[in-house]
Amino acid sequence: MATPASLEEDSQGAALAWPDHAREVLAQNGYRLGGARAAVITALAEHGCAASAAELHGAARAEGADLGLASVYRALELLEELGVAKRVELGERGARFEAIGPLGDHHHHMVCESCGTVEPFEDGDLEQALTTAAQRQGFTPLAHEVVFQGRCGSCGPGEDA
Amino acid sequence: MATPASLEEDSQGAALAWPDHAREVLAQNGYRLGGARAAVITALAEHGCAASAAELHGAARAEGADLGLASVYRALELLEELGVAKRVELGERGARFEAIGPLGDHHHHMVCESCGTVEPFEDGDLEQALTTAAQRQGFTPLAHEVVFQGRCGSCGPGEDA
DNA sequence: GTGAATGCAAACTCTTTGCATGACT
DNA sequence: AGTCATGCAAAGAGTTTGCATTCAC
């Protein structure tokens, strides 16, 4: 837990940022790195948290990549399958995606109903409670997702609008 | 917490099951009870947990109601707005809906990747941890959702398939 | 050089909306 | 009786798939 979650040591001991990690995993599993996948990896790394497919598509095109939206979906599906990206449902229309750190970087989301911001957060105690709850139910969790809908610190607990 | 969550005392002290509760809330807010809304309320009450709009539509038609899918969505939207039903996203395709008890009955879901079952569960400690985590982040939660994906007790922690 | 990856466009699914008809209070 | 709810059909949004071409290895 002392190492930043976005970095890992590869077999030579060099630090790898997430894009490198993702590319390495692709290669290790026999997948090629075309323009679309490379662009999606870059876009995912730069967006940070909970990006929609359309946002990633737009970001990639803004950086000069010429890729189709379908390829974005295909790349995201593959990255998720390989465990380097994650699909997140925030209760809005459409799914969102984000990079998963090689060390199991893990966070959840708060969606502010007032300003629409999606904020990530980590909470060790919450993770512990989640694990305990799953055990109590005799469930073996492979993944879990927590989403808060409410009002963020900036918008305060005040009334609507 | 001593009263079953699906029952409440109305102003006369009589116990109300959820369908009655839902109808009462509709009336109190000036909404009429047509065939479609009545059928959706019945279907929601009978399905129990995390039903899709199509499932509710089918169930309602199976019971003789002649309603359109659009009306199911309209009814669900209204019931959610009135706080007697809840929309749940389980990471699958499409949203799911369920009744909310008048006393704030509250549970979360475990989705078994092996048998596809969706199981509800309640956990007081987890709720506490969620509340604490939100406070720590300076967030005022109006709603929250927890979804586990994994393997249920029946399927065990074994390998895939 | 070869098979995998990509772009484009069409197909698909889920959900919402418009409008005329019919039903609830 | 008046207004609201509903059914049907069409529109919308997000996502997936088919196929010919291009590109990474």
Side-chain angles (χ1 to χ4, degrees):
Chain A
M1 290 295 180
T3 311
S6 58
L7 300 176
E8 73 173 349
E9 304 287 316
D10 73 3
S11 45
Q12 274 78 51
L16 285 184
W18 181 82
D20 290 316
H21 166 65
R23 285 187 279 261
E24 190 173 301
V25 171
L26 275 182
Q28 285 169 350
N29 287 83
Y31 292 101
R32 296 180 180 174
L33 182 63
R37 285 178 188 162
V40 169
I41 287 173
T42 301
L44 261 184
E46 293 182 347
H47 190 102
C49 173
S52 70
E55 284 168 351
L56 294 169
H57 184 221
R61 292 189 90 102
E63 294 206 352
D66 188 14
L67 77 175
L69 182 54
S71 298
V72 174
Y73 279 107
R74 279 191 278 235
L76 288 170
E77 181 185 6
L78 179 60
L79 293 173
E80 184 185 14
E81 195 178 309
L82 295 176
V84 294
K86 184 172 184 278
R87 176 189 297 247
V88 180
E89 309 271 355
L90 297 182
E92 307 162 301
R93 185 167 208 148
R96 289 175 170 274
F97 302 85
E98 59 192 28
I100 299 179
L103 294 180
D105 170 34
H106 187 73
H107 65 260
H108 296 297
H109 301 91
M110 306 179 297
V111 183
C112 180
E113 69 158 22
S114 179
C115 64
T117 307
V118 175
E119 283 183 66
F121 72 94
E122 292 181 67
D123 191 300
D125 291 347
L126 177 54
E127 295 302 323
Q128 181 58 53
L130 288 164
T131 302
T132 303
Q135 283 174 349
R136 245 178 233 148
Q137 305 297 327
F139 199 76
T140 306
L142 301 174
H144 63 240
E145 179 65 27
V146 176
V147 180
F148 282 107
Q149 280 130 7
R151 301 178 67 92
C152 69
S154 310
C155 295
E159 316 309 314
D160 268 25
Chain B
M1 287 297 180
T3 311
S6 57
L7 300 176
E8 75 173 348
E9 304 286 316
D10 72 3
S11 44
Q12 273 77 51
L16 285 184
W18 181 81
D20 290 316
H21 166 66
R23 285 187 280 260
E24 189 172 302
V25 171
L26 276 181
Q28 284 170 350
N29 287 84
Y31 292 101
R32 295 181 181 173
L33 181 63
R37 285 178 188 161
V40 169
I41 287 172
T42 301
L44 261 184
E46 293 182 346
H47 191 103
C49 172
S52 70
E55 285 168 351
L56 294 170
H57 185 221
R61 293 189 90 101
E63 294 206 352
D66 189 11
L67 77 174
L69 182 54
S71 297
V72 174
Y73 279 107
R74 279 190 278 233
L76 289 171
E77 181 185 6
L78 179 59
L79 293 174
E80 184 185 14
E81 194 178 310
L82 295 177
V84 294
K86 183 171 184 281
R87 176 187 298 244
V88 180
E89 308 272 354
L90 296 182
E92 307 162 301
R93 185 169 205 145
R96 290 176 170 274
F97 301 86
E98 58 191 28
I100 299 180
L103 294 180
D105 170 34
H106 186 72
H107 65 260
H108 296 297
H109 301 91
M110 306 179 297
V111 183
C112 180
E113 68 158 23
S114 178
C115 64
T117 306
V118 175
E119 284 182 67
F121 73 93
E122 292 181 67
D123 191 299
D125 291 347
L126 177 55
E127 294 303 324
Q128 182 58 53
L130 287 163
T131 302
T132 304
Q135 283 174 347
R136 245 178 233 148
Q137 305 297 327
F139 199 77
T140 306
L142 301 174
H144 63 241
E145 179 65 28
V146 176
V147 179
F148 282 107
Q149 280 130 8
R151 301 179 67 93
C152 69
S154 310
C155 294
E159 316 310 313
D160 269 26

